[in-house]
Amino acid sequence: MNAFETPERQILRESCERFVRKEVTPHLAQWERDGLVPRELHKSAAAAGLLAVGIPTGVGGEGGDLVDGTVVTEAFIAAGASSGLMAALFTHGIALPHLISTGNRELIERFVRPTLAGELIGALAVTEPEGGSDVAALRTTARRDGDHFVVNGAKAFITSGARADFVTTAVRTGGPGHAGISLLVIERGTPGFEVGDKLDKMGWLCSDTAELFFDGARVPARNLVGQENGGFTLLMRHFVGERLGLATHAYSVAQRALDLTLSFVRQRGTFGRPLISRQVVQHRLVQMRQRIELARTYTRDAVLRHVAGEQPVAQACLAKNAAAAACDWVVDQAVQLHGGTGYLRGAEVERHYRDARILGIGGGATEVLTDLAAKVLGYQA
Ligand SMILES: Cc1cc2nc3c(=O)[nH]c(=O)nc-3n(C[C@H](O)[C@H](O)[C@H](O)COP(=O)(O)OP(=O)(O)OC[C@H]3O[C@@H](n4cnc5c(N)ncnc54)[C@H](O)[C@@H]3O)c2cc1C
């Protein structure tokens, strides 16, 4: 049986869809205008048992694995949520894995459990104003001073940065390059830690994005995640899950755009006939479906390999690149087939069109992931 379509996962899908129809779609347009989703949404998603799907029960999660997490993303977006909404509500999917995998009980009690209960919001800060692609070159420093680290530097484009209660932050504790990087949990309210204004963006409007500034911020050494100077390995390990998550956003958004387009071309007529009666339209719909199915099948295969304990680094890069490209093309075709209606603010395909553009940039730009895949696959001189 297809692991993504078992009876249990069908029930999970239906719970997600009910939740989205009740708690998300009636408010999403307002949250897009507000530039953020409310904290209450985290609490209600937790109460519905949907915030922590795929996270072990031993740390406060609902249990299950990345297949379940993938089903949640697919179902939320199928029911009318958006990639931006998923980025905002599930930011813990990138902020917590490092804390969980190191098994540090104190960090788990202070940050992981309350976040999964919808009481705290976490973020992951790697990118800096000088660049995000070259993670090994990051410049924010953390100098040990007794039982604290003193942090100086800045982070850019941080998802949920404006709302976050804590930020899992990549800092330089050692020498240059990847071997000098650590992860520190930095809490809002730490003197010397300032959050900049929300950044105004092309898409993902309901997902707040902020710059973070550190000027002599004193962070307790007990907030170190894993080993000092062991941060790069942790980041790379968990980038696989993040990239598969973004690939899932991409093919799910594309599927939703196709579903919306199919209904539109069935009811819209031109020159006395429904649009769907035109062969060119039928072929376009099939081409949209073809790209979506290839992206979904390949991404799901990588998810299954990940769940089986493999680290499909190259496959995650290829899945994200392929799904993002499929999504870009499909949402463009969806707007085209909606005509002027698709260009209007408030049309769902218009939002997906803008939201999709980040998927080939965030979590590793397409070129950078292609470089990484070439390295992993040994396609180098
Ligand atoms: C809405 C949004 C949310 C984000 N959320 C987060 C977050 O939560 N946490 C976080 O840490 N970061 C986050 N980011 C940052 C994101 O991961 C980076 O934008 C991305 O990694 C690219 O880094 P950069 O923007 O500095 O581009 P740069 O590194 O300056 O690269 C610019 C462009 O150059 C090209 N390029 C780069 N390197 C190469 C190369 N070697 N060969 C060929 N071409 C290349 C790519 O096209 C790339 O897009 C977010 C960004 C956005 C816009």
Side-chain angles (χ1 to χ4, degrees), residues 124 126-127 131-133 157-159 201 358 361 363 365 367-368 371:
L124 173 70
V126 179
T127 306
S133 297
F157 309 124
I158 304 309
T159 297
K201 306 188 295 298
I358 186 58
I361 298 173
E367 298 87 340
V368 173
D371 261 359

Side-chain angles (χ1 to χ4, degrees), residues 326-338:
C327 186
D328 279 342
W329 188 80
V330 169
V331 293
D332 186 56
Q333 298 307 314
V335 170
Q336 182 69 22
L337 287 174
H338 275 77

Side-chain angles (χ1 to χ4, degrees), residues 161 224 226 238 303 348 369:
L224 181 68
H238 294 295
V303 167
E348 190 179 333
L369 297 192

Side-chain angles (χ1 to χ4, degrees), residues 21-364:
R21 290 197 186 104
K22 179 160 178 272
E23 306 283 352
V24 175
T25 50
H27 312 289
L28 189 50
Q30 184 59 48
W31 298 338
E32 289 274 297
R33 286 192 287 275
D34 295 344
L36 45 75
V37 299
R39 279 180 174 263
E40 293 67 43
L41 186 68
H42 294 248
K43 292 193 180 130
S44 54
L50 301 177
L51 195 65
V53 170
I55 300 177
T57 51
V59 300
E62 299 287 340
D65 56 30
L66 189 59
V67 174
D68 300 285
T70 302
V71 166
V72 169
T73 301
E74 290 179 358
F76 263 65
I77 293 174
S82 66
S83 176
L85 184 283
M86 301 309 286
L89 181 58
F90 292 90
T91 321
H92 59 274
I94 57 173
L96 297 182
H98 324 82
L99 281 67
I100 295 170
S101 70
T102 53
N104 180 321
R105 294 314 310 179
E106 193 202 325
L107 294 181
I108 287 168
E109 294 308 318
R110 286 169 61 210
F111 301 109
V112 176
R113 280 186 191 280
T115 304
L116 298 179
E119 291 156 9
L120 291 182
I121 293 173
L124 173 70
V126 179
T127 306
E128 302 192 339
E130 296 81 10
S133 297
D134 188 1
V135 174
L138 65 84
R139 300 180 188 186
T140 297
T141 57
R143 180 180 49 79
R144 187 75 184 241
D145 181 21
D147 55 3
H148 283 75
F149 285 96
V150 181
V151 181
N152 284 290
K155 295 289 174 182
F157 309 124
I158 304 309
T159 297
S160 296
R163 299 179 305 146
D165 301 293
F166 67 92
V167 184
T168 304
T169 311
V171 291
R172 184 163 300 288
T173 43
H178 62 84
I181 292 171
S182 299
L183 292 181
L184 272 183
V185 180
I186 306 183
E187 291 168 85
R188 176 181 282 272
T190 302
F193 169 27
E194 297 290 334
V195 178
D197 292 338
K198 276 202 284 57
L199 301 172
D200 206 4
K201 306 188 295 298
M202 173 193 295
W204 274 20
L205 298 185
C206 68
S207 171
D208 59 293
T209 311
E211 281 187 285
L212 311 178
F213 303 98
F214 306 100
D215 181 9
R218 289 182 68 79
V219 179
R222 66 191 176 122
N223 285 16
L224 181 68
V225 183
Q227 299 293 317
E228 190 166 333
N229 297 327
F232 191 79
T233 310
L234 275 175
L235 284 171
M236 291 302 135
R237 186 187 310 155
H238 294 295
F239 272 150
V240 173
E242 176 176 353
R243 287 164 187 160
L244 292 176
L246 290 169
T248 306
H249 281 211
Y251 71 71
S252 303
V253 165
Q255 179 67 57
R256 173 74 178 173
L258 171 58
D259 294 345
L260 293 166
T261 305
L262 189 54
S263 326
F264 184 82
V265 297
R266 279 192 197 290
Q267 54 83 19
R268 185 77 169 184
T270 62
F271 302 95
R273 279 164 52 188
L275 276 171
I276 186 115
S277 69
R278 311 270 170 197
Q279 189 182 43
V280 72
V281 172
Q282 294 166 9
H283 283 199
R284 193 85 54 84
L285 295 169
V286 170
Q287 288 161 352
M288 290 161 86
R289 182 166 177 145
Q290 179 178 307
R291 294 191 195 209
I292 295 164
E293 294 219 353
L294 291 173
R296 176 166 42 226
T297 303
Y298 188 74
T299 304
R300 283 181 169 186
D301 181 67
V303 167
L304 289 173
R305 287 181 57 193
H306 192 257
V307 165
E310 291 179 47
Q311 272 282 36
V313 175
Q315 193 175 350
C317 294
L318 303 190
K320 179 171 173 290
N321 286 356
C327 186
D328 279 342
W329 188 80
V330 169
V331 293
D332 186 56
Q333 298 307 314
V335 170
Q336 182 69 22
L337 287 174
H338 275 77
T341 310
Y343 194 69
L344 294 183
R345 273 292 156 106
E348 190 179 333
V349 289
E350 183 268 349
R351 172 161 45 71
H352 290 312
Y353 178 85
R354 286 182 291 103
D355 279 5
R357 194 61 191 85
I358 186 58
L359 297 173
I361 298 173

